[in-house]
Amino acid sequence: MRNVLVTGASGFIGTHLSSKLLEKKEYNVVRISRSFGDIAEESTWKKFPICGTIIHLAGQTFVPDS
């Protein structure tokens, strides 16, 4: 089983993509949302399991910050 980490998993695209990946039995999907912390910080990444694939969908929702 292949580990796939999805950042922004609570967003519109992340929610739908995660659901589709979970339908396939060959993937173990690790959903990452804001509750894990700021992904710009190295300490946050140390909390995540080792994954073969990372799909980065996280972003700032407040336009001036992005």
Side-chain angles (χ1 to χ4, degrees):
M1 188 174 288
R2 186 175 190 171
N3 286 339
V4 177
L5 185 133
V6 180
T7 65
S10 61
F12 180 80
I13 296 172
T15 300
H16 288 84
L17 177 65
S18 297
S19 296
K20 289 293 184 185
L21 289 172
L22 286 169
E23 288 176 6
K24 298 180 182 274
K25 302 299 180 195
E26 68 241 31
Y27 299 114
N28 177 34
V29 180
V30 180
R31 295 175 166 184
I32 304 300
S33 61
R34 288 185 198 174
S35 62
F36 282 87
D38 185 358
I39 62 168
E41 301 291 328
E42 183 179 351
S43 59
T44 302
W45 284 95
K46 291 181 179 182
K47 298 177 191 176
F48 304 153
I50 295 174
C51 295
T53 303
I54 298 174
I55 301 172
H56 178 52
L57 300 173
Q60 294 286 338
T61 57
F62 186 60
V63 175
D65 287 344
S66 61

